[in-house]
Amino acid sequence: MQHKTEKTLHLIKQFGANIRQKRESLNKSQRLLAFEYDLDSGNLSRIESGQIDPKLTMLWRISEALGIPLSQIIKSLETELGEKFHIIDQ
Amino acid sequence: MQHKTEKTLHLIKQFGANIRQKRESLNKSQRLLAFEYDLDSGNLSRIESGQIDPKLTMLWRISEALGIPLSQIIKSLETELGEKFHIIDQ
DNA sequence: GTTTTGTGTTGCATACATACAGTATAAAGG
DNA sequence: CCTTTATACTGTATGTATGCAACACAAAAC
């Protein structure tokens, strides 16, 4: 990270909050979800509370655990953070 | 990462390849793109060649540099990697 | 009340992404 | 040729995500 900007901090906080909300809607504890999908519950705790900036592979594994495509989770984030993008190629 | 699985390695390699392709379609060098968006070109090199597992904030910054929503980049990845997900909530 | 069980959190060692500076290579200019 | 310029890549110090074990605390069992 260049140097922890406000935006950056907000991003990971919002991401964590969303993840927590999704998990809770499944009525699973951090421990249970972590156990079932071979994650670390301590890690999950820090991610949900926006303390850390997870790596791509971790994002992927979390989305699998939640049963939601990562693209969908990110899309919610984009909406919430009010980012505007060009819809160009692809 | 639990312990670098094949799947994991494939994920970051494919992501890097996609990023490189997008950048090249903009006809920009790693250096130029990095300069314009305050990224590190060395880092970008390692990401494009699939050597490293970038963090969420870095993914975000790269997608901004490419002018493509991160959700869209991830969606391509999901398709390419043939992941199937339930379309449940949200 | 004291143990047991379930929850999220935290201390810490290790692995690794990041940022900066430097290298390698080739193409173009002179 | 040699130098300049542009490309991607790499050495390395520092910061930090990760995984594991332990903690704090509440609620339930007994």
Side-chain angles (χ1 to χ4, degrees):
Chain A
M1 216 174 323
Q2 50 197 162
H3 184 257
K4 281 194 192 309
T5 64
E6 276 305 318
K7 206 173 161 187
T8 280
L9 291 175
H10 190 218
L11 172 60
I12 65 178
K13 264 185 75 86
Q14 187 65 49
F15 175 78
N18 290 3
I19 290 305
R20 172 163 283 165
Q21 187 242 312
K22 305 283 192 191
R23 175 182 60 79
E24 288 177 341
S25 76
L26 295 177
N27 285 313
K28 289 188 180 181
S29 67
Q30 291 177 349
R31 266 185 151 64
L32 177 59
L33 196 71
F35 176 75
E36 291 179 334
Y37 291 88
D38 196 26
L39 305 174
D40 180 76
S41 68
N43 221 300
L44 193 50
S45 170
R46 278 185 270 239
I47 290 170
E48 287 188 355
S49 54
Q51 296 176 55
I52 65 182
D53 188 5
K55 301 181 194 180
L56 175 57
T57 54
M58 180 60 62
L59 298 175
W60 199 269
R61 291 168 63 202
I62 290 173
S63 75
E64 287 182 332
L66 295 175
I68 304 173
L70 180 55
S71 60
Q72 193 174 314
I73 296 174
I74 299 295
K75 191 163 191 181
S76 305
L77 248 190
E78 286 165 354
T79 304
E80 289 160 357
L81 299 183
E83 298 295 335
K84 30 220 162 294
F85 290 99
H86 337 153
I87 322 276
I88 30 179
D89 69 342
Q90 185 71 238
Chain B
M1 218 174 320
Q2 51 194 165
H3 184 259
K4 282 193 191 307
T5 63
E6 275 306 317
K7 204 173 163 189
T8 280
L9 291 175
H10 190 218
L11 171 61
I12 64 178
K13 263 185 76 85
Q14 187 65 50
F15 175 78
N18 290 4
I19 290 304
R20 171 164 286 167
Q21 186 242 311
K22 305 283 192 192
R23 176 182 59 79
E24 288 177 342
S25 76
L26 295 176
N27 285 312
K28 290 189 179 180
S29 67
Q30 291 177 349
R31 264 185 151 65
L32 177 59
L33 195 72
F35 176 75
E36 290 179 336
Y37 291 88
D38 196 27
L39 306 175
D40 181 77
S41 67
N43 223 298
L44 193 51
S45 170
R46 278 184 271 241
I47 290 170
E48 287 189 357
S49 54
Q51 295 175 58
I52 64 181
D53 188 4
K55 302 181 194 181
L56 175 56
T57 55
M58 179 60 63
L59 299 175
W60 199 270
R61 291 168 61 203
I62 289 173
S63 75
E64 287 182 332
L66 295 174
I68 304 173
L70 182 55
S71 60
Q72 192 173 316
I73 296 174
I74 300 294
K75 192 163 192 184
S76 306
L77 247 190
E78 286 165 356
T79 304
E80 289 161 356
L81 299 181
E83 298 293 337
K84 31 214 160 301
F85 291 98
H86 338 154
I87 323 277
I88 31 181
D89 69 340
Q90 187 70 239

